[in-house]
Amino acid sequence: MFVLLHQLSLPVMFAAVLVICFVITRIVIGLVRVAIAKGGYVADEALPIRESIVGVCATIFGLMVAFSAAGLWADSLAARSAVQQEADAVENVLVLSSSLPADLQTNVRDNLTAYVAQVISGDWPAMANGEHIESPVFDRSGDILINAIGLVSRQAGTSARPAAYQPLVNQLLAVRHARLLRLSASNTGMSWAQWIAVWIISTATVAAIAICNNHVPRMQILATHIFVVVVTSAYFVILAHDRPFMGQISVQPAAFLSINGLHPVLSGQRP
Protein backbone atom coordinates (compact mmCIF):
# COMPACT_ATOMS: atom_id res chain seq x y z
CA MET A 1 0.00 0.00 0.00
CA PHE A 2 1.10 3.60 -0.56
CA VAL A 3 3.86 2.40 -2.90
CA LEU A 4 4.74 5.93 -3.99
CA LEU A 5 5.24 7.07 -0.38
CA HIS A 6 7.33 3.99 0.42
CA GLN A 7 9.71 4.74 -2.43
CA LEU A 8 10.42 8.32 -1.34
CA SER A 9 13.56 9.25 0.54
CA LEU A 10 13.01 9.52 4.30
CA PRO A 11 13.09 13.36 4.49
CA VAL A 12 10.72 13.69 1.52
CA MET A 13 8.44 11.00 2.98
CA PHE A 14 8.23 12.86 6.29
CA ALA A 15 7.52 16.15 4.51
CA ALA A 16 4.81 14.56 2.34
CA VAL A 17 3.08 12.96 5.35
CA LEU A 18 3.32 16.26 7.26
CA VAL A 19 1.68 18.20 4.42
CA ILE A 20 -1.11 15.62 4.08
CA CYS A 21 -1.78 15.71 7.83
CA PHE A 22 -1.80 19.52 7.91
CA VAL A 23 -4.29 19.65 5.02
CA ILE A 24 -6.60 17.16 6.71
CA THR A 25 -6.32 19.09 9.99
CA ARG A 26 -7.27 22.39 8.35
CA ILE A 27 -10.28 20.69 6.78
CA VAL A 28 -11.31 19.24 10.15
CA ILE A 29 -10.96 22.65 11.86
CA GLY A 30 -13.07 24.28 9.15
CA LEU A 31 -15.77 21.61 9.43
CA VAL A 32 -15.80 21.92 13.23
CA ARG A 33 -16.27 25.69 13.08
CA VAL A 34 -19.05 25.41 10.50
CA ALA A 35 -20.80 22.67 12.47
CA ILE A 36 -20.63 24.63 15.72
CA ALA A 37 -21.99 27.75 14.03
CA LYS A 38 -24.81 25.72 12.47
CA GLY A 39 -25.57 24.28 15.91
CA GLY A 40 -26.35 27.73 17.25
CA TYR A 41 -23.36 28.06 19.56
CA VAL A 42 -21.47 31.34 19.96
CA ALA A 43 -17.92 31.20 18.59
CA ASP A 44 -16.30 32.31 21.87
CA GLU A 45 -18.48 30.07 24.02
CA ALA A 46 -16.89 27.01 25.68
CA LEU A 47 -18.76 23.92 24.57
CA PRO A 48 -20.23 21.39 27.04
CA ILE A 49 -17.76 18.64 26.12
CA ARG A 50 -15.16 17.19 28.45
CA GLU A 51 -11.52 17.55 27.46
CA SER A 52 -10.94 14.02 28.78
CA ILE A 53 -12.30 12.77 25.44
CA VAL A 54 -9.08 14.06 23.88
CA GLY A 55 -7.00 11.95 26.25
CA VAL A 56 -9.10 8.87 25.54
CA CYS A 57 -8.78 9.26 21.76
CA ALA A 58 -5.04 9.94 21.98
CA THR A 59 -4.53 6.89 24.18
CA ILE A 60 -6.41 4.65 21.76
CA PHE A 61 -4.35 6.08 18.90
CA GLY A 62 -1.13 5.32 20.78
CA LEU A 63 -2.24 1.76 21.46
CA MET A 64 -3.12 1.22 17.80
CA VAL A 65 0.27 2.55 16.70
CA ALA A 66 2.07 0.34 19.23
CA PHE A 67 0.07 -2.70 18.17
CA SER A 68 0.80 -2.06 14.49
CA ALA A 69 4.47 -1.27 15.07
CA ALA A 70 5.00 -4.54 16.97
CA GLY A 71 3.71 -6.47 13.98
CA LEU A 72 5.93 -4.51 11.60
CA TRP A 73 9.07 -5.19 13.66
CA ALA A 74 8.21 -8.92 13.67
CA ASP A 75 7.67 -8.86 9.88
CA SER A 76 11.03 -7.17 9.35
CA LEU A 77 12.85 -9.72 11.50
CA ALA A 78 11.12 -12.59 9.69
CA ALA A 79 12.11 -11.14 6.31
CA ARG A 80 15.76 -10.75 7.31
CA SER A 81 15.80 -14.26 8.74
CA ALA A 82 14.30 -15.72 5.54
CA VAL A 83 16.91 -13.96 3.37
CA GLN A 84 19.76 -15.20 5.55
CA GLN A 85 18.38 -18.76 5.59
CA GLU A 86 18.05 -18.73 1.81
CA ALA A 87 21.60 -17.47 1.28
CA ASP A 88 22.99 -19.96 3.81
CA ALA A 89 21.22 -22.84 2.06
CA VAL A 90 22.62 -21.73 -1.31
CA GLU A 91 26.11 -21.66 0.16
CA ASN A 92 25.56 -25.12 1.67
CA VAL A 93 24.61 -26.45 -1.75
CA LEU A 94 27.82 -25.02 -3.19
CA VAL A 95 29.88 -26.77 -0.52
CA LEU A 96 28.09 -30.10 -0.96
CA SER A 97 28.32 -29.93 -4.76
CA SER A 98 32.12 -30.12 -4.59
CA SER A 99 31.83 -33.90 -4.21
CA LEU A 100 29.71 -34.33 -7.36
CA PRO A 101 30.97 -35.53 -10.72
CA ALA A 102 32.54 -32.69 -12.71
CA ASP A 103 29.70 -32.27 -15.22
CA LEU A 104 26.98 -32.33 -12.57
CA GLN A 105 28.94 -29.99 -10.32
CA THR A 106 29.24 -27.48 -13.15
CA ASN A 107 25.53 -27.71 -13.94
CA VAL A 108 24.53 -27.23 -10.30
CA ARG A 109 26.83 -24.25 -9.85
CA ASP A 110 25.64 -22.67 -13.10
CA ASN A 111 22.02 -23.07 -11.95
CA LEU A 112 22.80 -21.52 -8.57
CA THR A 113 24.66 -18.64 -10.21
CA ALA A 114 21.68 -17.99 -12.48
CA TYR A 115 19.29 -18.32 -9.53
CA VAL A 116 21.12 -15.83 -7.30
CA ALA A 117 21.56 -13.42 -10.22
CA GLN A 118 17.81 -13.57 -10.91
CA VAL A 119 16.99 -13.07 -7.22
CA ILE A 120 19.13 -9.94 -7.09
CA SER A 121 18.24 -8.44 -10.46
CA GLY A 122 14.65 -9.69 -10.75
CA ASP A 123 13.08 -10.58 -7.41
CA TRP A 124 14.49 -7.65 -5.43
CA PRO A 125 13.28 -4.83 -7.73
CA ALA A 126 9.88 -6.55 -7.94
CA MET A 127 9.62 -6.79 -4.15
CA ALA A 128 10.71 -3.15 -3.86
CA ASN A 129 7.84 -2.20 -6.21
CA GLY A 130 5.29 -4.12 -4.14
CA GLU A 131 4.64 -6.92 -6.63
CA HIS A 132 2.37 -9.67 -5.31
CA ILE A 133 3.78 -13.12 -4.73
CA GLU A 134 1.74 -14.42 -7.68
CA SER A 135 3.54 -12.09 -10.12
CA PRO A 136 5.15 -13.88 -13.11
CA VAL A 137 8.45 -12.09 -12.43
CA PHE A 138 9.06 -14.42 -9.49
CA ASP A 139 8.50 -17.50 -11.64
CA ARG A 140 11.89 -17.04 -13.31
CA SER A 141 13.92 -17.65 -10.18
CA GLY A 142 11.52 -20.40 -9.14
CA ASP A 143 11.93 -22.22 -12.46
CA ILE A 144 15.73 -22.08 -12.19
CA LEU A 145 15.59 -23.53 -8.69
CA ILE A 146 13.16 -26.27 -9.65
CA ASN A 147 15.41 -27.17 -12.56
CA ALA A 148 18.35 -27.56 -10.16
CA ILE A 149 16.29 -29.73 -7.80
CA GLY A 150 15.15 -31.91 -10.69
CA LEU A 151 18.70 -32.23 -12.01
CA VAL A 152 20.08 -33.51 -8.71
CA SER A 153 17.04 -35.70 -8.02
CA ARG A 154 17.35 -37.45 -11.39
CA GLN A 155 21.03 -38.05 -10.80
CA ALA A 156 20.24 -39.50 -7.36
CA GLY A 157 17.70 -41.85 -8.93
CA THR A 158 20.24 -43.30 -11.35
CA SER A 159 23.17 -43.38 -8.94
CA ALA A 160 24.41 -46.52 -7.23
CA ARG A 161 24.59 -44.51 -3.99
CA PRO A 162 21.43 -42.33 -3.96
CA ALA A 163 21.85 -41.58 -0.24
CA ALA A 164 24.97 -39.58 -1.07
CA TYR A 165 22.80 -37.02 -2.90
CA GLN A 166 20.19 -36.66 -0.15
CA PRO A 167 21.94 -33.86 1.82
CA LEU A 168 22.25 -31.86 -1.42
CA VAL A 169 18.58 -32.36 -2.25
CA ASN A 170 17.63 -31.36 1.31
CA GLN A 171 19.58 -28.10 1.02
CA LEU A 172 18.02 -27.30 -2.35
CA LEU A 173 14.59 -27.84 -0.78
CA ALA A 174 15.69 -25.56 2.09
CA VAL A 175 16.52 -22.87 -0.48
CA ARG A 176 13.04 -23.23 -1.96
CA HIS A 177 11.38 -23.09 1.46
CA ALA A 178 13.31 -19.96 2.48
CA ARG A 179 12.51 -18.39 -0.90
CA LEU A 180 8.78 -18.82 -0.27
CA LEU A 181 9.19 -17.30 3.21
CA ARG A 182 11.00 -14.32 1.66
CA LEU A 183 8.31 -13.76 -0.96
CA SER A 184 5.58 -14.07 1.66
CA ALA A 185 7.37 -11.56 3.88
CA SER A 186 7.56 -9.09 0.98
CA ASN A 187 3.76 -8.80 1.01
CA THR A 188 3.39 -8.25 4.75
CA GLY A 189 2.56 -4.91 6.32
CA MET A 190 -0.43 -3.09 7.71
CA SER A 191 -3.79 -4.07 6.26
CA TRP A 192 -6.37 -1.62 4.93
CA ALA A 193 -8.41 -2.23 8.10
CA GLN A 194 -5.49 -1.12 10.27
CA TRP A 195 -4.77 1.97 8.15
CA ILE A 196 -8.43 3.02 8.16
CA ALA A 197 -8.74 2.49 11.93
CA VAL A 198 -5.58 4.48 12.70
CA TRP A 199 -6.69 7.29 10.36
CA ILE A 200 -10.18 7.46 11.88
CA ILE A 201 -8.82 7.54 15.44
CA SER A 202 -6.23 10.24 14.65
CA THR A 203 -8.80 12.34 12.78
CA ALA A 204 -11.32 11.95 15.61
CA THR A 205 -8.67 13.10 18.07
CA VAL A 206 -7.95 16.20 16.00
CA ALA A 207 -11.68 16.89 15.84
CA ALA A 208 -11.98 16.51 19.63
CA ILE A 209 -9.09 18.94 20.18
CA ALA A 210 -10.62 21.43 17.76
CA ILE A 211 -14.03 21.22 19.46
CA CYS A 212 -12.66 21.59 23.00
CA ASN A 213 -10.63 24.67 22.02
CA ASN A 214 -13.08 26.25 19.58
CA HIS A 215 -13.73 29.21 21.89
CA VAL A 216 -10.03 30.17 21.72
CA PRO A 217 -9.07 30.09 18.00
CA ARG A 218 -5.34 30.55 18.55
CA MET A 219 -5.23 27.75 21.09
CA GLN A 220 -7.30 25.60 18.73
CA ILE A 221 -4.74 26.07 15.94
CA LEU A 222 -1.78 25.52 18.27
CA ALA A 223 -3.15 22.41 19.97
CA THR A 224 -4.27 20.71 16.77
CA HIS A 225 -1.00 21.44 14.98
CA ILE A 226 1.08 20.10 17.86
CA PHE A 227 -0.91 16.90 17.68
CA VAL A 228 -0.41 16.83 13.90
CA VAL A 229 3.37 16.78 14.37
CA VAL A 230 2.99 13.85 16.78
CA VAL A 231 0.70 11.98 14.38
CA THR A 232 3.03 12.68 11.46
CA SER A 233 5.94 11.18 13.35
CA ALA A 234 3.91 8.04 14.08
CA TYR A 235 2.75 7.68 10.47
CA PHE A 236 6.31 8.30 9.25
CA VAL A 237 7.77 5.50 11.37
CA ILE A 238 5.03 3.10 10.30
CA LEU A 239 5.43 3.92 6.61
CA ALA A 240 9.21 3.61 6.77
CA HIS A 241 8.91 0.06 8.15
CA ASP A 242 5.59 -1.05 6.63
CA ARG A 243 7.11 -3.23 3.89
CA PRO A 244 10.37 -5.10 4.68
CA PHE A 245 11.66 -4.85 1.09
CA MET A 246 10.52 -1.33 0.23
CA GLY A 247 12.10 2.02 1.02
CA GLN A 248 15.49 3.27 2.11
CA ILE A 249 15.73 1.10 5.23
CA SER A 250 14.53 -2.08 3.53
CA VAL A 251 16.17 -5.50 3.60
CA GLN A 252 18.99 -5.65 1.03
CA PRO A 253 20.45 -8.73 -0.76
CA ALA A 254 23.80 -8.39 0.98
CA ALA A 255 23.62 -12.01 2.15
CA PHE A 256 23.49 -13.19 -1.48
CA LEU A 257 26.26 -10.87 -2.63
CA SER A 258 28.56 -12.27 0.05
CA ILE A 259 28.11 -15.94 -0.90
CA ASN A 260 31.49 -17.57 -1.48
CA GLY A 261 32.09 -19.76 -4.50
CA LEU A 262 29.61 -18.35 -6.98
CA HIS A 263 30.47 -17.30 -10.50
CA PRO A 264 32.27 -13.90 -10.67
CA VAL A 265 29.36 -12.50 -12.69
CA LEU A 266 27.61 -11.85 -9.37
CA SER A 267 30.24 -9.37 -8.33
CA GLY A 268 28.61 -6.80 -10.60
CA GLN A 269 25.04 -7.43 -9.41
CA ARG A 270 23.23 -4.77 -7.44
CA PRO A 271 19.68 -4.70 -6.03
Side-chain angles (χ1 to χ4, degrees), residues 89 95 121 138 160 206 227 230 256:
V95 174
S121 63
F138 298 120
V206 171
F227 184 73
V230 175
F256 288 97

PDB file of all heavy atoms in Angstrom, residues 89 95 121 138 160 206 227 230 256:
ATOM      1  N   ALA A  89      21.521 -21.576   2.745  1.00  0.00           N
ATOM      2  CA  ALA A  89      21.222 -22.844   2.064  1.00  0.00           C
ATOM      3  C   ALA A  89      21.893 -22.905   0.695  1.00  0.00           C
ATOM      4  O   ALA A  89      22.394 -23.952   0.284  1.00  0.00           O
ATOM      5  CB  ALA A  89      19.712 -23.012   1.929  1.00  0.00           C
ATOM      6  N   VAL A  95      28.886 -25.955  -1.226  1.00  0.00           N
ATOM      7  CA  VAL A  95      29.875 -26.772  -0.525  1.00  0.00           C
ATOM      8  C   VAL A  95      29.650 -28.249  -0.813  1.00  0.00           C
ATOM      9  O   VAL A  95      30.602 -28.997  -1.118  1.00  0.00           O
ATOM     10  CB  VAL A  95      29.814 -26.504   0.994  1.00  0.00           C
ATOM     11  CG1 VAL A  95      30.729 -27.463   1.746  1.00  0.00           C
ATOM     12  CG2 VAL A  95      30.201 -25.063   1.294  1.00  0.00           C
ATOM     13  N   SER A 121      18.618  -9.368  -9.382  1.00  0.00           N
ATOM     14  CA  SER A 121      18.239  -8.436 -10.459  1.00  0.00           C
ATOM     15  C   SER A 121      16.758  -8.485 -10.810  1.00  0.00           C
ATOM     16  O   SER A 121      16.238  -7.558 -11.425  1.00  0.00           O
ATOM     17  CB  SER A 121      19.058  -8.744 -11.722  1.00  0.00           C
ATOM     18  OG  SER A 121      18.756 -10.049 -12.206  1.00  0.00           O
ATOM     19  N   PHE A 138       8.438 -13.520 -10.457  1.00  0.00           N
ATOM     20  CA  PHE A 138       9.057 -14.423  -9.486  1.00  0.00           C
ATOM     21  C   PHE A 138       9.168 -15.848 -10.013  1.00  0.00           C
ATOM     22  O   PHE A 138       9.896 -16.656  -9.432  1.00  0.00           O
ATOM     23  CB  PHE A 138       8.264 -14.420  -8.175  1.00  0.00           C
ATOM     24  CG  PHE A 138       8.215 -13.074  -7.496  1.00  0.00           C
ATOM     25  CD1 PHE A 138       7.004 -12.450  -7.253  1.00  0.00           C
ATOM     26  CD2 PHE A 138       9.380 -12.436  -7.110  1.00  0.00           C
ATOM     27  CE1 PHE A 138       6.955 -11.213  -6.629  1.00  0.00           C
ATOM     28  CE2 PHE A 138       9.350 -11.194  -6.490  1.00  0.00           C
ATOM     29  CZ  PHE A 138       8.131 -10.582  -6.245  1.00  0.00           C
ATOM     30  N   ALA A 160      24.304 -45.295  -8.032  1.00  0.00           N
ATOM     31  CA  ALA A 160      24.407 -46.516  -7.231  1.00  0.00           C
ATOM     32  C   ALA A 160      24.353 -46.188  -5.740  1.00  0.00           C
ATOM     33  O   ALA A 160      24.087 -47.061  -4.916  1.00  0.00           O
ATOM     34  CB  ALA A 160      25.715 -47.248  -7.557  1.00  0.00           C
ATOM     35  N   VAL A 206      -8.095  14.816  16.457  1.00  0.00           N
ATOM     36  CA  VAL A 206      -7.953  16.204  15.997  1.00  0.00           C
ATOM     37  C   VAL A 206      -9.281  16.946  16.123  1.00  0.00           C
ATOM     38  O   VAL A 206      -9.320  18.109  16.567  1.00  0.00           O
ATOM     39  CB  VAL A 206      -7.458  16.239  14.533  1.00  0.00           C
ATOM     40  CG1 VAL A 206      -7.512  17.664  13.987  1.00  0.00           C
ATOM     41  CG2 VAL A 206      -6.039  15.708  14.449  1.00  0.00           C
ATOM     42  N   PHE A 227      -0.521  18.307  17.825  1.00  0.00           N
ATOM     43  CA  PHE A 227      -0.906  16.896  17.681  1.00  0.00           C
ATOM     44  C   PHE A 227      -0.597  16.377  16.281  1.00  0.00           C
ATOM     45  O   PHE A 227      -0.235  15.213  16.109  1.00  0.00           O
ATOM     46  CB  PHE A 227      -2.395  16.725  17.996  1.00  0.00           C
ATOM     47  CG  PHE A 227      -2.843  15.289  17.965  1.00  0.00           C
ATOM     48  CD1 PHE A 227      -2.480  14.414  18.971  1.00  0.00           C
ATOM     49  CD2 PHE A 227      -3.621  14.815  16.916  1.00  0.00           C
ATOM     50  CE1 PHE A 227      -2.883  13.086  18.943  1.00  0.00           C
ATOM     51  CE2 PHE A 227      -4.028  13.491  16.876  1.00  0.00           C
ATOM     52  CZ  PHE A 227      -3.660  12.619  17.893  1.00  0.00           C
ATOM     53  N   VAL A 230       2.892  15.158  16.118  1.00  0.00           N
ATOM     54  CA  VAL A 230       2.989  13.849  16.780  1.00  0.00           C
ATOM     55  C   VAL A 230       2.465  12.748  15.871  1.00  0.00           C
ATOM     56  O   VAL A 230       3.100  11.698  15.692  1.00  0.00           O
ATOM     57  CB  VAL A 230       2.217  13.869  18.116  1.00  0.00           C
ATOM     58  CG1 VAL A 230       2.202  12.483  18.738  1.00  0.00           C
ATOM     59  CG2 VAL A 230       2.829  14.874  19.073  1.00  0.00           C
ATOM     60  N   PHE A 256      23.240 -12.492  -0.215  1.00  0.00           N
ATOM     61  CA  PHE A 256      23.487 -13.187  -1.482  1.00  0.00           C
ATOM     62  C   PHE A 256      24.784 -12.713  -2.127  1.00  0.00           C
ATOM     63  O   PHE A 256      25.523 -13.496  -2.724  1.00  0.00           O
ATOM     64  CB  PHE A 256      22.312 -12.967  -2.442  1.00  0.00           C
ATOM     65  CG  PHE A 256      21.074 -13.710  -2.064  1.00  0.00           C
ATOM     66  CD1 PHE A 256      20.062 -13.077  -1.360  1.00  0.00           C
ATOM     67  CD2 PHE A 256      20.918 -15.042  -2.395  1.00  0.00           C
ATOM     68  CE1 PHE A 256      18.914 -13.755  -0.994  1.00  0.00           C
ATOM     69  CE2 PHE A 256      19.770 -15.739  -2.030  1.00  0.00           C
ATOM     70  CZ  PHE A 256      18.766 -15.090  -1.326  1.00  0.00           C
TER      71      PHE A 256
END
